[in-house]
Amino acid sequence: MANRKNDRRGRSMWEKTTFDRARDELFSHIHRCQVLGATEEQQIEWMNDTIQYMAERYPTLTPQELEQLRVLGLRFCQPVINQLRNHSKEDANAA
């Protein structure tokens, strides 16, 4: 989570944490590498390689934070429409 600090005028600002920067970079990589159009298997393989890269690039991230990045990244890759359809099917099955 971002840390709060004050600027020179005393106004409150938010400073990004290492996790915030890594997450933003991961999302940027996903867009640049066109991972959204890949198959699920390709996305998982790409994510495994990218999380390994992120661990090297941000050595202060804990294993738990790296796993959070993986989960967020894979969730980010899922199309919104498919997620809505899955929720509708789950709701129908529950009824």
Side-chain angles (χ1 to χ4, degrees):
M1 177 149 274
N3 296 320
R4 187 177 220 159
K5 68 176 189 173
N6 293 326
D7 68 3
R8 293 184 307 184
R9 297 179 186 170
R11 293 180 297 192
S12 179
M13 297 175 47
W14 292 100
E15 182 180 297
K16 286 188 176 186
T17 65
T18 301
F19 180 83
D20 294 331
R21 289 190 305 274
R23 181 203 56 224
D24 294 348
E25 185 176 332
L26 176 62
F27 290 169
S28 178
H29 283 310
I30 289 170
H31 278 295
R32 258 195 327 261
C33 296
Q34 300 179 348
V35 178
L36 298 175
T39 66
E40 185 176 354
E41 285 180 5
Q42 291 169 329
Q43 289 175 351
I44 292 169
E45 182 179 342
W46 182 92
M47 193 65 62
N48 290 339
D49 293 341
T50 303
I51 294 298
Q52 183 177 352
Y53 163 78
M54 299 300 269
E56 293 168 7
R57 180 154 165 71
Y58 298 97
T60 60
L61 290 176
T62 66
Q64 294 81 11
E65 289 173 318
L66 291 168
E67 183 57 28
Q68 280 183 297
L69 283 177
R70 177 189 312 281
V71 169
L72 288 172
L74 288 172
R75 200 175 292 157
F76 186 76
C77 290
Q78 295 176 359
V80 175
I81 293 174
N82 285 349
Q83 290 177 8
L84 292 175
R85 286 183 185 157
N86 288 341
H87 287 294
S88 296
K89 287 179 186 177
E90 289 171 6
D91 293 342
N93 290 337

